[in-house]
């Protein structure tokens, strides 16, 4: 599917809409260049699951919201996959009761092998709009 958004709120609303189809155990992979809107999309996904104050884990790599069975991973600053394993992220990837959202999944492709993933790509169209494909 392809979607187009013109504002941050539209991207959040789209995140909520797309999240309706997610099942426990899904790993949602968000692709896009820096500033594309991956964290904004994550805010919408998180809101669907009842999480209002999403905190970007750019420096901590992972933020868990275990009351809602939701994990947000951002590998932008990841040095290597071992660093993610050390903080316990592998325990959540594909865990049957948890939804994981991963920004910059290119960096952890080995950890994602044989896992159930949902791929979402966010791009700028050059005119201030975002094009989202999944």
């Amino acid at each position: 599917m392809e979607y187009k958004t013109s504002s941050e709120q539209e991207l959040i609303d789209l995140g909520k809409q797309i999240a309706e189809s997610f099942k426990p155990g899904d790993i949602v992979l968000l692709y896009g260049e820096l500033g594309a809107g991956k964290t904004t999309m994550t805010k919408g996904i998180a809101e669907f699951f009842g999480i209002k104050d999403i905190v970007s884990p750019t420096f901590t790599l992972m933020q868990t919201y275990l009351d809602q069975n939701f994990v947000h991973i951002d590998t932008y600053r990841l040095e290597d996959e071992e660093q993610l394993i050390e903080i316990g992220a592998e325990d959540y990837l594909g865990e049957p009761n948890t939804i994981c959202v991963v920004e910059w999944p290119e960096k952890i492709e080995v950890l994602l092998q044989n896992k159930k993933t949902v791929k979402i790509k966010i791009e700028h169209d050059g005119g201030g709009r975002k094009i989202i494909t999944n």
Side-chain angles (χ1 to χ4, degrees):
M1 303 271 320
E2 181 175 287
Y3 308 90
K4 293 184 180 183
T5 63
S6 306
S7 69
E8 183 174 316
Q9 188 58 54
E10 284 183 11
L11 190 55
I12 290 170
D13 292 343
L14 179 60
K16 287 188 233 178
Q17 177 186 335
I18 291 173
E20 291 179 20
S21 66
F22 298 157
K23 307 277 186 278
D26 282 351
I27 303 169
V28 181
L29 308 178
L30 297 179
Y31 294 89
E33 59 190 47
L34 193 62
K38 295 178 296 295
T39 300
T40 302
M41 172 70 75
T42 301
K43 287 179 183 180
I45 295 168
E47 280 186 27
F48 177 80
F49 292 102
I51 302 163
K52 298 295 181 200
D53 297 316
I54 196 84
V55 177
S56 179
T58 300
F59 293 99
T60 60
L61 300 179
M62 179 173 70
Q63 186 69 31
T64 59
Y65 304 87
L66 298 180
D67 290 348
Q68 291 88 0
N69 295 322
F70 187 87
V71 176
H72 181 197
I73 298 170
D74 184 335
T75 67
Y76 180 71
R77 297 197 183 279
L78 187 72
E79 294 175 23
D80 56 38
E81 290 175 342
E82 189 62 36
Q83 188 180 10
L84 205 57
I85 293 169
E86 287 174 8
I87 64 169
E90 193 174 31
D91 295 341
Y92 299 106
L93 293 171
E95 208 287 318
N97 296 319
T98 303
I99 300 285
C100 291
V101 175
V102 181
E103 296 184 41
W104 303 97
E106 308 86 342
K107 296 186 171 192
I108 61 167
E109 287 178 348
V110 171
L111 293 178
L112 298 172
Q113 290 178 349
N114 303 315
K115 305 247 189 243
K116 183 181 172 204
T117 61
V118 176
K119 296 180 181 181
I120 299 173
K121 185 174 183 181
I122 306 171
E123 301 175 282
H124 298 280
D125 76 349
R129 294 174 53 141
K130 311 272 186 189
I131 301 171
I132 300 90
T133 52
N134 75 333

